[in-house]
């Protein structure tokens, strides 16, 4: 069942490439249909997981109960298998991925990309890769999906980008690929340390292969952390992000920020915390501090931007900083305890992954709307858009307030938990990061004010039509889900919180 | 707790009804344009039922939210006062707005945001834990942003809304810190009732954080300036949010967490002195304003200073009285100011001369509100302020409170003098040329709220009666609250009467002084002490400079380091290609040449003659034997 969810999009991509002479419309409709079916299947998975009381099939393992598990031999000589399954941590991310890819498919119905067949195929393949990464329970499998996501996103930016896409795409590819090599080194280190040698995450977490070996544990954590830090991204490994975003097509940016960045942060929760608990705890104060620096640095640099898309890209650095801060703070708790604060901080970090996916996805699609109307992202070129485009204004306002952490939307649920859990555990980094929500508010409100309010100004020779139905249908559900999480956090936390609790228990064992 | 009692569900209705109605209006957009005002009016009136039930029944509900932290609402005595005050003022403002046809061009947005605000404020006053409180608290700020920027085409409103939101959010960081400290200090579920028992050193963070958040929202020093900018919003919005309720929520919060302030030893006195200073300084600021809305805004800061003072000295009964009485009086004054702004096209005091004479009903209501504001006996704020000052034991604090009362009488007198003095020739022309004065034109929907609020502002003075005051203290669960003595009440009454009469007499005779003729010391006061430019210079400018600096650093250093490292790779490749590669090739060639040479040597023994081969074999055997012998000797 889970494998169907993972590979259905790839199958659809194959059909699209094989079928002769499809019209652009048929290609895009097929893409949307495949993404929709995949989302329905994920919904079935979700309800099955919740109905079983989250008991799954295999008891408590990596992050709470695992369900829909498949464990087949793949490369037995390396101790690596096709081991997939969902638990409370991966299920929300799988669902968010399915939602975001469907939103992108719907958005493209209106956006009409060139060479639609390749476009749809690349995105469908990317969906398989992303979903596969989140359900992988084997390090080698995880790594393969990790690298494939980089390669596919390279094609998206290089093939359908604007500005200087070839350069940005190459830069993105090389930077994140080098990061992935560090990740591979770390994984091999884990493999060698394990006895018997294995790449299986569940076995590795149970073994705690580097327990009691501080130097080796630190070195492996450094390698794994470096690889994930580039992808997350964490300051100072973030400079590939702004050009990649600015030059990518809107849908590519939404996926890049919404799904691909999550792979890095997800790797920390999935791999670094449970498999390297002692090394994580040893370095947790420094990690929390790095998170706080990312928060402030991302916010401040975003404040200085005039390019809307570049600004949103830097707020991603800020938002991912809260994740690192929360995970670092959780690691500072004393071993052998699992205080409520640590669980809260990890829960907050995990919620932030889902929340940021939804909100940033919406913001980048809105940036795409801006680009299709006015041909640029320079905020100085627009003013008073609330007049000609009231729906655009309303949707952008909701996305902006969600992104700045307004209660009632998902971002607040994430950030409140990170701060509340983190302050007692890591007071200095958390207090340092606190002004981040103020600076983010300032820069996002300033953007809102420049774009929407005041007298009407448009780039010469352009008109600004309001959101089209397809655009609304793509963006509004993302915000609606954010509101659902913001107002009824239990819908998400009933699944996520037990997983966070299990991760806290593993890292503090 | 929980939903054991079905009546408890009334709390969900109380908060949910305006929230859902507001969301529906906002989502409806243009389609909801015509239905907005009637729908909002219906909801505002209907809210009276759950509010009354909640005030009597005292329900409490919780719902699971975060791990270990529930979403909780409950009504106690203080919350009952908060709920009733909000519902009453909200109904008055909505009915008035409907009568004034406020919100033209965006009624669904106007009423939708008002309804959302009401829901958030109701949740704020009934919240039982910091998570719920912070949620409601920040949603209030966001609706305030939307309402200040309601006339969004105007170039100034957007930045005014942002200044207001960001200033209060700066202070709100304190509440985030307080939540973290409460968890660390062992307050179960972040319950507000447990904050006083938080372990050290977190108790100081909790108290300090909440104090900061409250001071920001209540526009106390040094945050006061945002309230001046908030006046760019529509007048009914100022009446509801930026005087009676949202701003007052800052004072309300401190009353709610008063035990936590008192437990630290320093937070209570700090609150008291900041409240007293704000009452004094902003009172003086209010006295010299030329703009009626600015005068009222400054007086809001000053009057809420008394609530903050009360919370600081543990005078919850007095503070709650001041909260409720001020809400009635001040929302009334703002509504009348809005009425005159719509009718006469001005809020400038000099141009409002004689406004009260032209609009007797509005003028009378305005007078009642202003007299109450000035602390005239036996009206509401006189009684409330005496309750507050009765709890303020340190003589310095008490004296500061009395001086602030005198200033309150002063600014009330300034406003009254302006609207009752004989119209200036220019102003009368404007009045005659405008929509035309006369109460006949005031719709019922405008009169009713004014009369109701004026009545409330007057009769709340009954608190001065010992029996009523005692019942009030009981309602708040503070039976032993200090009550003012007869002498104290007489002194405060005398101060109010004398100052108000003197200011009015002088004011009516002289009129509002022209800007050129004023003394030098007045200008900074009129400019709200330059607090906004100061915040700009001390906070905003350094942050912006840091942002620009870091952005440049990001482009020129971080990014260049990466590209530099990356471009190092091709350079290295060049070096390898030009230097290392030929060298390696040379080595390979040398090895090849050497091998060929060795091959030549190897070919020499192959002579093809048998005796030479034998000789070679013998030589080889001899060498082998020698090696054996030597090796055996060595071993």
């Amino acid at each position: 069942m889970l494998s169907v969810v993972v590979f259905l999009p790839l199958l659809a991509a194959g059909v699209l490439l094989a079928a002769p002479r499809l019209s652009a419309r048929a290609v895009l409709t097929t893409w949307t249909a495949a993404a929709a079916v995949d989302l329905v299947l994920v919904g079935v998975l979700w309800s099955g997981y919740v109905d079983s009381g989250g008991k799954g099939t295999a008891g408590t393992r990596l992050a709470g109960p695992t369900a829909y598990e498949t464990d087949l031999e793949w490369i037995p000589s390396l101790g690596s298998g096709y081991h997939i399954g969902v638990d409370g941590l991966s299920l929300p991310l799988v669902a968010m991925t399915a939602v975001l890819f469907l939103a992108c498919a719907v958005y493209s119905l209106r956006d009409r990309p060139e060479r639609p067949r390749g476009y749809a195929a690349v995105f469908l393949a990317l969906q398989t890769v992303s979903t596969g990464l989140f359900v992988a329970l084997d390090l080698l499998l995880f790594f393969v999906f990790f690298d494939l996501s980089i390669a596919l996103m390279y094609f998206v930016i290089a093939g359908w980008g604007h500005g200087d896409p070839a350069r940005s795409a190459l830069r993105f590819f090389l930077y994140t690929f080098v990061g992935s090599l560090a990740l591979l080194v770390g994984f091999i280190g884990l493999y060698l340390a394990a006895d018997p040698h294995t790449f299986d995450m569940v076995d590795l977490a149970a073994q705690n292969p580097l327990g009691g070996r501080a130097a080796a544990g630190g070195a492996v954590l450094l390698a794994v952390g470096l690889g994930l830090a580039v992808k997350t991204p964490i300051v100072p490994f973030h400079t590939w992000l702004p050009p990649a975003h600015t030059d990518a097509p809107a849908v590519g940016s939404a996926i890049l920020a919404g799904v691909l960045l999550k792979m890095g942060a997800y790797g920390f929760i999935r791999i670094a915390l449970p498999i390297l608990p002692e090394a994580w705890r040893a370095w947790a104060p420094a990690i929390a501090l790095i998170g706080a620096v990312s928060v402030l640095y991302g916010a401040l640099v975003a404040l200085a931007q005039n390019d809307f898309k570049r600004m949103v890209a830097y707020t991603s650095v800020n938002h991912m900083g809260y994740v690192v801060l929360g995970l670092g703070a959780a690691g500072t708790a004393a071993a052998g305890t699992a205080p409520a604060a640590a669980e809260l901080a990890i829960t907050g970090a995990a919620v932030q992954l889902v929340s940021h996916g939804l909100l940033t996805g919406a913001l980048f699609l809105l940036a795409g709307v801006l680009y299709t109307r006015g041909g640029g992202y320079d905020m100085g070129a627009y003013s008073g858009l609330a007049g000609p485009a009231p729906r655009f204004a309303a949707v952008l306002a909701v996305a902006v307030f969600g992104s700045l952490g307004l209660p009632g939307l998902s971002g607040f649920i994430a950030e409140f938990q990170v701060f509340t859990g983190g302050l007692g555990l890591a007071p200095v980094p958390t207090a340092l990061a606190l002004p981040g929500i103020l600076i983010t508010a300032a820069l996002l409100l300033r953007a809102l004010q420049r774009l929407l309010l005041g007298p009407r100004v448009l780039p010469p020779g352009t008109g600004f039509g309001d959101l089209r139905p397809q655009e609304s249908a793509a963006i509004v559900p993302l915000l609606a889900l954010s509101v659902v999480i913001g107002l009824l956090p239990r819908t998400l936390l009933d699944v996520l919180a037990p997983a966070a609790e299990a991760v806290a228990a593993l890292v503090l064992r | 707790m929980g939903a054991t009692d079905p009546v408890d569900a009334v709390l969900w209705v109380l908060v949910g009804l305006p929230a859902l109605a507001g969301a529906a209006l906002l989502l409806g957009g243009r389609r909801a344009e015509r239905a907005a005002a009637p729908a909002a009016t219906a909801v505002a009136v209907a809210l009276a039922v759950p509010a009354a039930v909640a005030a009597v029944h005292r329900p409490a509900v919780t719902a699971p939210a975060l791990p270990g932290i529930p979403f909780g609402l409950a009504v106690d005595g203080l919350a009952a006062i908060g709920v009733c005050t909000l519902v009453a003022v909200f109904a008055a403002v909505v009915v008035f707005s409907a009568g004034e046809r406020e919100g033209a061009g965006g009624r669904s947005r106007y009423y939708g945001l008002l309804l959302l605000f009401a829901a958030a404020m109701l949740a704020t006053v009934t919240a039982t834990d910091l998570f719920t409180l912070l949620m409601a608290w920040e949603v209030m700020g966001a609706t305030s942003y939307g309402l200040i920027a309601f006339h969004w085409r105007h170039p100034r409103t957007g930045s005014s809304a942002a200044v207001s939101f960001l200033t209060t959010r700066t202070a709100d960081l304190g509440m985030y810190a307080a939540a973290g400290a409460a968890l660390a200090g062992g307050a179960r579920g972040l319950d507000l009732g447990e904050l006083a028992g938080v372990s050290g050193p977190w108790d100081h963070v909790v108290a300090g954080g909440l104090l900061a958040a409250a001071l920001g929202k209540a526009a106390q020093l040094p945050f006061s300036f945002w309230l001046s900018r908030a006046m760019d919003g529509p007048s009914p919005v100022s009446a509801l949010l930026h005087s009676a309720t949202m701003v007052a929520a800052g004072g309300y919060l401190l009353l709610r967490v008063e035990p936590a302030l008192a437990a630290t030893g320093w937070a209570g006195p700090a609150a008291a002195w900041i409240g007293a200073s704000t009452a004094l300084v902003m009172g003086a600021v209010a006295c010299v304003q030329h703009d009626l809305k600015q005068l009222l805004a400054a007086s809001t800061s000053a009057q809420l200073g008394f609530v903050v003072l009360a919370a600081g000295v543990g005078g919850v009964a007095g503070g709650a009285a001041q909260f409720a009485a001020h809400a009635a009086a001040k929302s009334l004054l703002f509504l009348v100011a809005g009425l005159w702004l719509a009718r006469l096209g001005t809020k400038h005091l000099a141009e409002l001369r004689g406004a009260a004479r032209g609009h007797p009903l509005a003028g009378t209501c305005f007078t009642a509100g202003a007299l109450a504001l000035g602390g005239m006996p036996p009206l509401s704020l006189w009684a409330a302020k005496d309750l507050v000052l009765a709890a303020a034991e340190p003589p310095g604090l008490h004296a500061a409170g009395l001086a602030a009362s005198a200033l309150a009488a002063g600014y009330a007198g300034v406003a009254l003098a302006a609207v009752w003095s004989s119209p200036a020739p220019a102003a009368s022309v404007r009045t005659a040329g405008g929509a035309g004065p006369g109460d006949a034109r005031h719709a019922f929907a405008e009169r009713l709220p004014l009369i109701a609020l004026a009545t409330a502002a007057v009769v709340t003075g009954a608190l001065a009666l010992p029996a009523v005051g005692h019942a009030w203290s009981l309602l708040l669960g503070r039976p032993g609250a200090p009550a003012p003595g007869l002498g104290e009440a007489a002194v405060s009454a005398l101060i109010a009467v004398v100052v108000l009469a003197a200011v009015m007499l002088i004011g009516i005779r002289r009129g509002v002084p022209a800007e050129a003729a004023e003394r030098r010391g007045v200008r900074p006061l009129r400019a709200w002490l330059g607090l906004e430019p100061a915040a700009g210079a001390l906070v905003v400018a350094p942050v912006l400079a840091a942002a620009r600096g870091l952005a440049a650093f990001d482009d020129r250093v971080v990014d260049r380091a990466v590209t530099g490292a990356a471009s190092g790779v091709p350079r290295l490749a060049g070096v390898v290609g030009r230097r290392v590669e030929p060298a390696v090739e040379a080595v390979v060639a040398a090895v090849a040449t050497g091998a060929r040479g060795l091959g030549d040597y190897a070919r020499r023994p192959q002579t093809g003659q048998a005796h030479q081969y034998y000789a070679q074999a013998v030589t080889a055997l001899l060498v082998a034997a020698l090696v054996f012998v030597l090796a055996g000797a060595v071993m």
Side-chain angles (χ1 to χ4, degrees):
Chain A
M1 173 70 177
L2 188 54
S3 295
V4 174
V5 172
V6 173
F7 289 104
L8 178 76
L10 192 62
L11 187 72
V15 169
L16 281 184
L17 291 179
R21 276 199 236 147
L22 279 175
S23 71
R25 191 179 188 78
V27 167
L28 295 174
T29 314
T30 313
W31 175 20
T32 310
V37 170
D38 213 43
L39 180 61
V40 170
L41 292 178
V42 170
V44 173
L45 288 188
W46 185 293
S47 69
Y49 189 82
V50 173
D51 285 347
S52 69
K55 286 191 187 63
T57 53
T60 300
R61 305 180 66 172
L62 256 181
T66 310
Y68 308 109
E69 215 173 343
T70 306
D71 194 357
L72 301 173
E73 282 199 342
W74 182 34
I75 316 176
S77 57
L78 280 178
S80 174
Y82 173 73
H83 189 182
I84 60 169
V86 292
D87 53 26
L89 184 61
S90 49
L91 188 53
L93 286 165
V94 169
M96 186 269 285
T97 303
V99 168
L100 210 52
F101 272 98
L102 177 58
C104 289
V106 172
Y107 182 89
S108 301
L109 288 176
R110 155 84 193 153
D111 204 30
R112 297 291 173 79
E114 295 167 21
R115 288 163 281 132
R117 195 200 289 253
Y119 193 70
V122 171
F123 274 98
L124 282 165
L126 203 49
Q127 182 170 5
T128 286
V129 164
S130 307
T131 315
L133 181 128
F134 291 129
V135 300
L137 291 175
D138 183 280
L139 289 181
L140 220 48
L141 198 60
F142 181 94
F143 179 77
V144 167
F145 285 134
F146 194 90
D147 260 11
L148 283 178
S149 75
I150 296 172
L152 289 169
M153 185 50 74
Y154 168 82
F155 288 120
V156 170
I157 300 175
W160 288 271
H162 42 251
D164 190 357
R167 186 182 150 80
S168 296
L170 187 63
R171 192 185 166 88
F172 158 79
F173 180 82
L174 288 178
Y175 205 144
T176 49
F177 194 74
V178 167
S180 82
L181 291 183
L183 189 65
L184 184 62
V185 170
F187 284 178
I188 292 172
L190 283 174
Y191 169 80
L192 294 176
D195 183 28
H197 293 334
T198 179
F199 279 108
D200 194 275
M201 290 186 202
V202 180
D203 293 346
L204 282 169
Q207 272 194 27
N208 185 13
L210 289 160
R213 290 152 70 184
V220 171
L221 180 62
L222 183 67
V224 171
L226 212 58
L228 297 175
V230 170
K231 189 110 172 181
T232 302
I234 300 172
V235 173
F237 306 111
H238 63 281
T239 48
W240 60 268
L241 184 74
H245 270 309
T246 320
D247 294 348
V251 172
S253 282
I255 293 299
L256 177 57
V259 180
L260 265 63
L261 299 193
K262 303 301 162 306
M263 296 178 177
Y266 172 78
F268 282 113
I269 313 184
R270 170 101 299 168
I271 299 165
L273 270 75
I275 301 183
L276 292 159
E278 284 171 38
W280 186 266
R281 285 203 307 276
W283 292 98
I287 293 167
L289 198 61
I290 292 172
V293 168
S294 271
V295 165
L296 283 183
Y297 189 93
L300 282 171
V301 178
L303 181 60
Q305 303 301 320
N306 287 317
D307 180 302
F308 180 74
K309 213 172 177 189
R310 221 172 137 79
M311 181 196 82
V312 177
Y314 275 107
T315 63
S316 290
V317 177
N318 161 277
H319 282 125
M320 289 294 101
Y322 296 120
V323 177
V324 178
L325 170 67
L327 298 178
T332 60
T337 66
E343 286 165 19
L344 210 56
I346 294 180
T347 311
V351 173
Q352 179 76 320
L353 299 186
V354 178
S355 164
H356 181 253
L358 297 172
L359 290 170
T360 296
L363 277 175
F364 275 123
L365 292 183
L366 286 164
V369 172
L370 199 64
Y371 187 81
T372 54
R373 309 294 195 273
Y377 304 112
D378 182 13
M379 290 191 274
Y382 302 89
S383 169
L385 296 183
R391 258 171 294 153
F392 172 77
V395 172
L396 182 63
V398 173
V400 154
F401 272 100
S403 189
L404 64 80
L406 185 75
L409 288 107
S410 52
F412 170 77
I413 298 293
E415 284 156 25
F416 179 82
Q417 293 187 90
V418 168
F419 286 132
T420 305
L423 190 69
L425 296 169
V428 173
T430 311
L432 269 178
L434 209 45
I437 56 171
L438 181 63
I439 303 170
T440 330
L443 69 98
L444 286 167
L445 286 185
R446 204 172 63 141
L448 200 66
Q449 190 184 328
R450 290 172 79 175
L451 291 177
L452 301 183
L453 312 183
R456 178 173 163 176
V457 176
L458 288 173
T462 61
F464 205 98
D466 208 347
L467 286 185
R468 296 309 182 105
Q470 294 96 329
E471 291 165 339
S472 298
I475 301 168
V476 171
L478 300 177
L479 299 176
L481 281 174
S482 176
V483 170
V484 168
I485 296 171
L487 290 180
L488 305 168
R490 290 314 313 181
T491 48
L492 178 62
L493 293 183
D494 277 341
V495 170
L496 198 55
E501 200 179 318
V503 171
L506 280 174
V507 75
L508 299 176
R509 67 181 123 155
Chain B
M1 301 267 269
T4 45
D5 190 340
V7 187
D8 280 349
V10 78
L11 253 178
W12 293 126
V13 176
L14 187 64
V15 176
L17 179 64
L20 288 178
L25 287 185
L26 288 173
L27 289 176
R30 285 190 188 133
R31 277 160 294 165
E33 197 68 10
R34 296 182 66 183
T41 310
V43 171
V45 173
L47 275 181
V49 178
V53 174
V56 175
H57 180 72
R58 306 289 165 82
V61 292
T62 57
L66 308 182
I69 301 171
F71 182 94
L73 304 172
V75 177
D76 59 2
L78 183 59
I81 294 168
V83 166
C84 293
T85 305
L86 181 271
V87 168
V89 177
F90 179 61
V93 166
V94 168
V95 171
F96 179 87
S97 295
E100 271 291 293
R101 304 180 183 288
E102 192 68 52
R107 287 213 173 80
S108 53
R109 184 158 47 95
Y110 178 80
Y111 289 102
L113 285 171
L114 277 186
L115 282 162
L116 273 194
F117 165 75
M121 179 74 191
L122 285 166
T124 301
V125 296
T126 55
T128 57
D129 60 89
L130 274 175
F131 169 65
T132 314
L133 177 66
L134 186 47
M135 274 187 88
W137 186 263
E138 289 225 306
V139 171
M140 285 200 302
T143 54
S144 157
Y145 176 92
L147 286 166
I148 295 173
F150 179 73
H151 296 296
W152 54 267
R153 281 195 179 84
H154 193 283
R156 191 178 142 93
T157 56
S159 74
S160 291
V163 166
S164 302
F165 183 84
L166 293 175
T167 309
T168 50
R169 196 170 216 214
T170 308
D172 289 354
L173 295 185
M175 203 184 281
Y176 279 90
L183 186 81
R188 264 180 305 129
L190 305 184
D191 198 292
L192 293 178
E194 299 210 2
L195 294 184
V198 163
S199 62
W202 298 111
D203 54 343
H204 298 293
V205 181
V206 169
L210 290 176
L211 185 58
L215 293 178
K217 212 62 147 187
Q220 300 295 290
L221 292 174
F223 301 107
S224 309
F225 60 90
W226 74 262
L227 200 55
S228 170
R229 292 299 298 269
M231 293 301 115
D232 288 346
S235 293
V237 170
S238 308
L240 179 63
L241 275 72
H242 304 122
S243 65
T245 55
M246 184 182 90
V247 184
Y252 179 92
L253 169 65
L254 291 182
L255 296 176
R256 165 74 60 209
V257 300
E258 181 270 324
L261 299 185
T264 59
W266 60 267
W273 279 105
I274 293 173
S277 325
T278 307
L280 271 175
V281 173
M282 295 314 289
V285 167
C287 285
V288 299
Q289 296 302 311
H290 282 169
D291 176 306
L292 179 57
K293 281 187 78 174
Q294 292 293 326
L295 183 154
L296 293 175
S299 81
T300 299
S301 280
Q303 293 284 335
L304 291 174
F306 283 99
V307 183
V308 174
L309 192 168
V313 297
V316 174
Q322 174 80 11
F323 167 83
H326 171 256
K330 189 56 65 65
S331 55
L332 167 64
L333 293 174
F334 267 116
L335 288 184
V336 179
L339 188 81
W340 284 334
L341 180 58
R343 293 288 186 283
L344 307 174
T346 182
K347 49 192 173 130
H348 206 268
L349 284 176
E351 296 172 1
L352 280 172
R353 289 181 64 177
R357 300 183 182 200
H359 302 80
L361 174 76
T364 310
C365 290
F366 187 87
T367 307
L371 288 177
L373 188 70
M376 275 299 266
L379 306 183
S380 56
L381 281 160
W382 166 71
K385 237 172 269 176
D386 278 354
L387 264 179
V388 170
L389 292 180
E393 275 166 13
L397 206 56
H398 198 96
L402 281 180
S405 308
L407 285 169
Y411 53 71
V414 169
L416 281 175
V419 299
W420 282 109
S421 54
S422 48
S428 60
V429 170
R430 181 192 284 268
T431 308
D439 279 14
R441 290 174 177 266
H442 291 188
F444 177 69
E446 288 158 21
R447 278 189 220 170
L448 187 66
L450 299 185
I451 295 170
L453 288 173
T455 312
V458 170
V459 300
T460 327
L463 282 171
L465 298 173
V468 179
H470 183 64
W472 180 262
S473 303
L474 277 183
L475 171 68
L476 287 159
R478 304 268 176 154
L486 211 57
E488 287 171 327
V491 168
S492 69
L494 193 67
I495 290 176
V497 172
V498 169
V499 174
L500 218 156
V503 171
M504 272 194 74
L505 279 179
I506 298 170
I508 289 184
R509 195 170 303 161
R510 280 207 205 145
V512 179
E515 300 207 8
E518 69 194 10
R519 287 186 210 100
R520 265 196 304 170
V522 172
R523 208 162 287 169
L525 275 181
R526 168 144 346 101
W528 291 61
L529 301 170
L531 285 170
E532 191 184 337
L538 293 176
V539 181
V540 180
V543 169
L544 283 176
R548 277 190 292 270
L550 273 183
F553 172 78
D554 199 59
D555 288 342
R556 299 203 193 117
V557 180
V558 182
D559 195 34
R560 198 154 296 174
V562 174
T563 40
S567 64
V569 173
R571 212 171 305 140
L572 185 68
V575 171
V576 168
R578 267 176 280 117
R579 303 265 163 77
V580 182
E581 191 75 355
V584 171
E585 203 157 295
V587 170
V588 171
V591 169
T593 317
R596 204 178 299 133
L598 286 175
D600 287 343
Y601 282 117
R603 230 178 285 127
R604 290 243 178 108
Q606 296 177 2
T607 54
Q609 294 175 350
H611 66 275
Q612 286 180 349
Y613 286 155
Y614 286 128
Q616 286 170 19
V618 170
T619 316
L621 273 174
L622 280 176
V623 171
L626 202 65
V627 169
F628 259 109
V629 172
L630 282 177
V634 171
M635 302 279 267

